Amino acid sequence: MSSMISAAKDSASERWQILREKLPWSRVKQVLTLIFFALVAYLLVNQASEIEWAKVWETLKQTSPVTLLIGLALGFACFCVYASYDLFGRYLLKLDVSVIKVWFAAWLSYAFNLNLSSLVGGVAFRYRLYSRLGIKASDVTRILGISIATNWLGYILLAGGLFVSGQINPPDSWAVGTLALQIIGAVFLVVVAAYVLLCWRATKREYQFKSVTVTLPRVNIALLQLLVACAHWTLMASVIYQFLADDVAFPTVFAVLLVSALAGVITHIPGGLGVLEAVFVALLAGQADKTTILAGLFAYRCVFYLAPLAVATPLYLMFEAATRHKKSA
């Protein structure tokens, strides 16, 4: 039986080798590249067609210039912090690529991720950008995994503490009540504690699970991951806070953002479109007028989603042109 399995494997390997030699891989790559650009172009056009540009302009005109500037500054800082997630992957994998290039690729990916969904923006763009920088696909996968882990470890640390405190009172119409949120929060905190403890006590740094390699950082890097991720979520809440009514406290805005992020992940809607607004309106009822909340969140989307996308699109095209010229040279 073992000899038959071995022979089957050898036969499959030979067929794959013949296929690799016969296929015009350069042409295949060109076709895949064209498909990628066509998909991105379609998504950008589709996104633009769904935006009420007159409403965008009207909202921005009614927003204080100082508020807009502060929101833009906080949003830029938030993007910078988020882009540093990928630097943990660069460090742990010991990649021979400059810090600024990795950071720039992550920054662009984040802008497209928010607007075009995580599959296109967070995944496809990372593979495209990092491949242009000479990073192999397996390392891109590991960078992406480390980045996602960093982001959500920070989230569950913040959300865990908040949910356990019992300060959030979900509406009666919600399936999840205060007690359920406290239980979820306790589980979150246990997960973070287990991660830090594992990083502290681990005897080796790489673990193999079938074809997946997991790199475990030292405890000081793990704590830095949590700090950076918490800073990212705090800055994101600060951007929203700038555009909401003055009588809504920052801790309240922070709490509602964390709840809406969890709801957004469950619904798989790019940018939590509609989910963010629904959660904020439900949880801030009585603290601010519904119209004020929706107007503030709309201004937040303009600053945090559309503005970065407007900057990232030409920067990405310039990046493509520069790397293509460098390769051809």
Side-chain angles (χ1 to χ4, degrees):
M1 178 64 72
S2 60
S3 60
M4 291 175 63
I5 295 174
S6 178
K9 286 183 178 179
D10 291 341
S11 177
S13 177
E14 289 176 4
R15 286 198 299 269
W16 172 243
Q17 186 64 32
I18 293 171
L19 182 64
R20 288 185 60 184
E21 292 174 356
K22 287 186 175 180
L23 274 177
W25 287 107
S26 59
R27 181 58 60 85
V28 171
K29 288 180 180 179
Q30 289 176 358
V31 171
L32 291 176
T33 299
L34 288 174
I35 293 173
F36 173 76
F37 280 115
L39 175 61
V40 171
Y42 167 77
L43 291 173
L44 287 174
V45 171
N46 188 58
Q47 176 84 345
S49 64
E50 293 180 356
I51 295 171
E52 300 178 46
W53 292 105
K55 187 177 178 181
V56 171
W57 178 241
E58 191 63 31
T59 301
L60 294 179
K61 283 197 301 182
Q62 294 177 2
T63 306
S64 164
V66 174
T67 301
L68 279 175
L69 287 174
I70 293 175
L72 285 167
L74 289 171
F76 178 74
C78 184
F79 269 69
C80 291
V81 172
Y82 182 90
S84 66
Y85 286 175
D86 284 26
L87 298 180
F88 288 110
R90 174 189 176 274
Y91 172 79
L92 293 173
L93 301 181
K94 299 179 175 60
L95 298 178
D96 188 22
V97 182
S98 70
V99 169
I100 190 63
K101 288 182 179 179
V102 171
W103 179 89
F104 179 70
W107 196 99
L108 289 179
S109 297
Y110 189 37
F112 288 109
N113 181 16
L114 288 174
N115 291 275
L116 304 181
S117 82
S118 58
L119 182 61
V120 176
V123 178
F125 264 92
R126 267 191 174 89
Y127 278 99
R128 176 68 184 176
L129 290 164
Y130 283 135
S131 68
R132 306 294 285 184
L133 297 177
I135 299 176
K136 59 185 181 180
S138 58
D139 284 339
V140 178
T141 302
R142 295 173 69 183
I143 291 174
L144 182 60
I146 293 168
S147 179
I148 293 173
T150 301
N151 183 56
W152 288 106
L153 280 168
Y155 172 85
I156 63 177
L157 174 61
L158 292 168
L162 178 69
F163 295 169
V164 166
S165 70
Q167 295 182 20
I168 298 179
N169 295 312
D172 294 335
S173 59
W174 285 30
V176 178
T178 303
L179 179 60
L181 276 180
Q182 287 179 310
I183 295 173
I184 293 172
V187 172
F188 279 0
L189 292 179
V190 169
V191 170
V192 174
Y195 174 72
V196 173
L197 182 63
L198 183 61
C199 292
W200 180 33
R201 305 295 295 177
T203 55
K204 62 178 183 177
R205 293 296 152 189
E206 287 197 350
Y207 295 85
Q208 192 75 29
F209 299 95
K210 294 185 178 179
S211 60
V212 178
T213 302
V214 177
T215 303
L216 202 64
R218 298 188 180 278
V219 68
N220 59 330
I221 300 299
L223 293 174
L224 183 59
Q225 280 181 294
L226 293 173
L227 178 63
V228 171
C230 288
H232 166 250
W233 285 100
T234 303
L235 285 167
M236 190 188 302
S238 301
V239 179
I240 299 177
Y241 176 68
Q242 293 301 311
F243 298 106
L244 292 181
D246 295 334
D247 55 348
V248 180
F250 176 72
T252 303
V253 174
F254 204 165
V256 179
L257 170 66
L258 294 176
V259 174
S260 68
L262 185 59
V265 169
I266 294 172
T267 56
H268 298 291
I269 298 175
L273 192 59
V275 177
L276 180 75
E277 288 78 2
V279 173
F280 266 84
V281 169
L283 294 183
L284 294 182
Q287 298 189 48
D289 181 69
K290 178 180 178 180
T291 305
T292 303
I293 295 172
L294 293 176
L297 292 175
F298 193 82
Y300 155 73
R301 286 193 180 279
C302 293
V303 166
F304 201 75
Y305 287 69
L306 299 183
L309 181 63
V311 173
T313 301
L315 284 178
Y316 172 68
L317 295 176
M318 292 167 60
F319 172 86
E320 281 285 344
T323 52
R324 186 181 298 112
H325 175 74
K326 186 175 180 181
K327 282 194 171 186
S328 61

